[in-house]
Amino acid sequence: MNRTSTRRGATRLRLYEAAVTLIAEQGFSSTTVEQIAERAGVAKGTVYYNFSSKTELFEGLLRHGVGPLTVSLREAARASAAHGDDTVRRLEAMADAGLDFVIGHPDFARLLVAEQWRTNRSWHGTLVDVRRQVAGVVEDVLQEGVKRGELSEDLDIQLIAGAMVGMVVVAALDWHTFHAERPQGEVRSAVSLLLRGGLGAGGQVGPPSQHSLGSPSNAG
């Protein structure tokens, strides 16, 4: 990567960081390009040099934010599989990674929750794509669980994957907003309990594994 590309990448990152905070606080419509530029410490023209419009900036922000989340979920699933875990424990590991991501990026999570319902936006197609990208990782694990005989063939994999992603995001934001004094390990345990209640019925799986739910040392 040459120096110009590196500098432009750094500028875009600053704009993303400014935009995600403002849009999480105010919403997309109420956030102006001028505000984004001011928060990023650049001229308004710099925004338009990097993006043709506020919509294009927002679409770039969505892809930028969801990319690391998808990687985290996929890596958590692979590590859990390498450990010999069953499907529900792999899902627990992914939920754990999702909680860590949301807690580390609360503004981006709030933005997703707030803006996903506004289906008339010009960027809604991009939001659908990035949501599918995240849910697709969960769908892969669910499908494998069905093939392995660990989950019922009657599961609606698409809906369950979407519900799991939504559950983790909302649970993390609810904790961060209303129960910040509670240790993260309790949130992990609550999410695990919900997962096992829905997918682990019938005694098909054992108790939550320590490495799936996080050790006491990182539960706070």
Side-chain angles (χ1 to χ4, degrees), residues 7-22 36-43 46-47 51 57 61 64:
R7 185 165 55 247
R8 189 172 190 184
T11 300
R12 287 192 170 208
L13 181 59
R14 288 169 64 188
L15 292 171
Y16 289 150
E17 291 172 346
V20 71
T21 302
L22 288 166
I36 294 171
E38 182 179 0
R39 178 70 65 93
V42 300
T46 301
V47 179
F51 303 98
L57 188 159
L61 170 60
H64 171 78

Side-chain angles (χ1 to χ4, degrees), residues 85-187:
D85 289 341
D86 60 24
T87 301
V88 176
R89 283 177 175 158
R90 295 179 193 183
L91 292 169
E92 286 177 332
M94 296 172 74
D96 196 13
L99 284 173
D100 286 339
F101 179 87
V102 173
I103 297 308
H105 305 82
D107 285 342
F108 184 74
R110 289 193 189 94
L111 178 153
L112 284 178
V113 170
E115 297 296 332
Q116 68 176 326
W117 309 112
R118 299 183 171 99
T119 57
N120 61 339
R121 304 295 200 198
S122 59
W123 41 257
H124 185 68
T126 300
L127 182 59
V128 170
D129 288 342
V130 297
R131 180 202 171 279
R132 187 182 297 121
Q133 179 181 335
V134 176
V137 182
V138 182
E139 289 177 17
D140 290 344
V141 174
L142 290 169
Q143 288 169 351
E144 185 176 350
V146 172
K147 291 179 182 177
R148 288 157 55 104
E150 295 176 353
L151 299 178
S152 170
E153 295 181 356
D154 297 331
L155 290 179
D156 190 323
I157 289 176
Q158 187 178 49
L159 287 181
I160 290 174
M164 178 178 165
V165 172
M167 175 182 69
V168 171
V169 171
V170 174
L173 287 178
D174 183 83
W175 168 55
H176 190 269
T177 304
F178 300 109
H179 307 288
E181 77 285 356
R182 303 281 293 272
Q184 187 169 338
E186 292 182 6
V187 185

Side-chain angles (χ1 to χ4, degrees), residues 3-58:
R3 185 175 302 177
T4 300
S5 297
T6 301
R7 185 165 55 247
R8 189 172 190 184
T11 300
R12 287 192 170 208
L13 181 59
R14 288 169 64 188
L15 292 171
Y16 289 150
E17 291 172 346
V20 71
T21 302
L22 288 166
I23 295 174
E25 292 173 353
Q26 306 174 167
F28 177 83
S29 297
S30 298
T31 300
T32 66
V33 171
E34 290 82 0
Q35 288 173 328
I36 294 171
E38 182 179 0
R39 178 70 65 93
V42 300
K44 179 180 176 181
T46 301
V47 179
Y48 288 112
Y49 176 77
N50 286 273
F51 303 98
S52 63
S53 64
K54 185 175 70 169
T55 295
E56 184 180 328
L57 188 159
F58 185 68

